[in-house]
Amino acid sequence: MTTRRDRLRAATIKEISDTARRILVEQGAEAVTLRAIARRMGMTAPALYRYYASHGDLLRHLVGELFNELTDELHAAMHEVPQDDMSAKLLVVSRQFRLWALANPREYALLFGAPVPGVDDREQGDFAEECSRRFGWTFMSLFLELWRKKPFPVPADEEIDPVLLSQLRRYREDNLGVSLPLGVLQQFLKCWVRLQGGVSLEVFGHLEFALDDAAPMFELMLAEVCPALGLTYTPPGR
């Protein structure tokens, strides 16, 4: 049974997290300090140590919450399309990823930008790592589902660069725990590099030298990726 003390603690933790995110959005990740949060909340910085063991612990918790928010939005979008339509599922998840990133650029930078001191101070299996794996599995599970339902062309092991091959094998053995051709993993990573790389360039303003609106370029990327996976590209809104 949840006690009043438990409820008060949970409410305070949520307030700390909400305050940390507001500072992140307003000033950037470097401004999210225990002192700044405490000042906003009318507390002392040492009092926050009753809720988080360190500044890094606080940032890791915020990272985990953001990954969960993003993942929940991806799953919600995916459930808006027919579940047997793999083309629609991949397209809607990719587009929702971009939309979340553009709507939350500071949050995206914390998750996918340059490392922030304290964020990488983690222990194996901590909250942030578990949430990031849940996010990553959203895309990987789509690839696995597609591969099982309608295998797409992939190179044989001997056709993959030996340096890349060994890394793909290590990734499969250490992170996935499923039997999967290495060519599938290569295709997955190729697609992820294009998706996340394109979104990052747009979010961080690195396409503004040429493009005022990068949406058509993003759609062009999707239109090129789909055939390689045996999928059908459909423009948004159709």
Side-chain angles (χ1 to χ4, degrees):
M1 181 178 181
T2 304
T3 66
R4 181 174 180 275
R5 182 176 182 180
D6 291 335
R7 292 193 297 272
L8 288 174
R9 180 176 178 83
T12 302
I13 290 175
K14 184 179 185 307
E15 185 180 358
I16 293 171
S17 180
D18 291 345
T19 303
R21 184 169 182 174
R22 283 196 296 272
I23 295 173
L24 170 69
V25 170
E26 294 169 4
Q27 303 177 47
E30 292 75 11
V32 184
T33 65
L34 293 175
R35 186 178 302 278
I37 294 169
R39 184 163 53 247
R40 289 275 186 106
M41 294 178 61
M43 300 173 63
T44 63
L48 293 182
Y49 286 102
R50 295 201 296 267
Y51 304 93
Y52 294 100
S54 65
H55 175 242
D57 184 35
L58 168 63
L59 287 178
R60 296 288 299 165
H61 187 83
L62 179 58
V63 164
E65 288 191 333
L66 293 173
F67 267 125
N68 276 343
E69 176 183 298
L70 171 56
T71 305
D72 288 344
E73 288 200 13
L74 297 183
H75 281 273
M78 187 162 44
H79 283 94
E80 291 295 320
V81 300
Q83 293 306 290
D84 60 347
D85 189 338
M86 294 303 303
S87 298
K89 287 168 71 172
L90 184 67
L91 287 170
V92 75
V93 167
S94 299
R95 288 166 178 154
Q96 189 61 38
F97 175 67
R98 173 178 175 268
L99 289 176
W100 186 91
L102 292 176
N104 302 278
R106 296 275 197 178
E107 292 91 331
Y108 182 87
L110 180 62
L111 299 185
F112 299 104
V116 176
V119 172
D120 285 334
D121 300 338
R122 61 182 180 272
E123 297 180 0
Q124 189 71 18
D126 78 345
F127 176 67
E129 183 176 354
E130 291 175 2
C131 297
S132 68
R133 285 181 178 273
R134 176 174 173 251
F135 161 77
W137 191 250
T138 301
F139 287 93
M140 176 57 75
S141 63
L142 281 177
F143 260 72
L144 291 176
E145 183 182 359
L146 176 60
W147 175 253
R148 289 164 181 163
K149 289 182 175 179
K150 187 180 178 182
F152 43 85
V154 298
D157 287 2
E158 57 269 20
E159 298 177 281
I160 301 175
D161 183 287
V163 176
L164 182 58
L165 185 71
S166 63
Q167 296 177 82
L168 293 172
R169 183 175 291 113
R170 185 180 67 240
Y171 172 62
R172 179 180 64 185
E173 294 171 354
D174 294 348
N175 295 277
L176 297 183
V178 295
S179 179
L180 198 65
L182 296 179
V184 176
L185 294 184
Q186 177 178 265
Q187 189 66 287
F188 168 74
L189 289 175
K190 283 174 61 179
C191 292
W192 175 245
V193 166
R194 294 195 67 181
L195 173 63
Q196 201 261 331
V199 169
S200 291
L201 286 172
E202 184 177 5
V203 171
F204 298 143
H206 297 312
L207 294 178
E208 293 177 359
F209 73 96
L211 303 174
D212 296 322
D213 180 359
M217 185 63 69
F218 181 78
E219 291 298 323
L220 179 61
M221 180 273 296
L222 293 178
E224 293 174 350
V225 165
C226 282
L229 301 176
L231 300 174
T232 300
Y233 170 79
T234 304
R238 296 186 186 177

